[in-house]
Amino acid sequence: MTKRQKRMLAVGLLLAGLSLAAVLGFTAFSKNMMYFQTPSDIAGGKLPQGARIRLGGLVEKGSVQRGDGLVVNFSVADCDANLPVRYEGILPDLFREGQGIVATGHMDGKTFVADEVLAKHDENYMPPELAEKLTTPDGKHSCAQFKSMTKT
């Protein structure tokens, strides 16, 4: 084997190793990605069953029902749709009806099963992903419809 052939073999092996590392990295990254969804996105049927997602929206007024033990059922709404959510655990102190939340979990039939619920920390705060989803093309928030949906 000539010196040039050895060099070409080394470069080829290096490129093959880098390609393999990139494929493995992107595969692991795509499996661990969690997308932010709103109830409208889920109602649109874009989500495969069993996919792990973050759900954002407002807790509908009058929808919180406490079950046995630490089980809590409530609905999360956005401008166009609402989604029933089941959560078992201790809710954050700031969790209440009409507040924005971000829940992490998966769909089980037509119910979102949350394993983590985060509540916003002040009156004017909205999760950035939710604010982005509710922004109109002219750059304004279309929260008027969103807030009216949570009023009783």
Side-chain angles (χ1 to χ4, degrees), residues 113-124:
V113 178
D115 51 31
E116 181 181 25
V117 174
L118 302 173
K120 69 178 190 174
H121 55 77
D122 87 15
E123 189 70 22
N124 299 317

Side-chain angles (χ1 to χ4, degrees), residues 60-134:
E60 278 192 293
K61 290 188 177 180
S63 69
V64 177
Q65 298 174 345
R66 308 243 178 224
D68 294 333
L70 297 175
V71 176
V72 179
N73 294 302
F74 55 93
S75 289
V76 172
D78 64 3
C79 295
D80 300 321
N82 62 3
L83 184 69
V85 177
R86 184 177 66 236
Y87 175 70
E88 183 172 354
I90 298 172
L91 288 167
D93 291 338
L94 298 174
F95 178 88
R96 62 179 180 262
E97 295 174 351
Q99 292 291 323
I101 65 160
V102 175
T104 305
H106 64 279
M107 290 298 295
D108 183 18
K110 295 189 182 257
T111 301
F112 183 80
V113 178
D115 51 31
E116 181 181 25
V117 174
L118 302 173
K120 69 178 190 174
H121 55 77
D122 87 15
E123 189 70 22
N124 299 317
Y125 176 77
M126 182 174 291
E129 297 95 342
L130 182 59
E132 182 180 317
K133 295 266 184 175
L134 297 175

Side-chain angles (χ1 to χ4, degrees), residues 24-71:
L24 292 174
F26 285 121
T27 302
F29 183 69
S30 66
K31 285 184 179 179
N32 291 324
M33 285 181 59
M34 228 181 338
Y35 293 102
F36 181 83
Q37 303 285 326
T38 62
S40 296
D41 295 335
I42 295 171
K46 299 177 190 173
L47 186 68
Q49 285 289 325
R52 192 161 162 73
I53 60 167
R54 293 186 317 143
L55 171 69
L58 293 181
V59 178
E60 278 192 293
K61 290 188 177 180
S63 69
V64 177
Q65 298 174 345
R66 308 243 178 224
D68 294 333
L70 297 175
V71 176

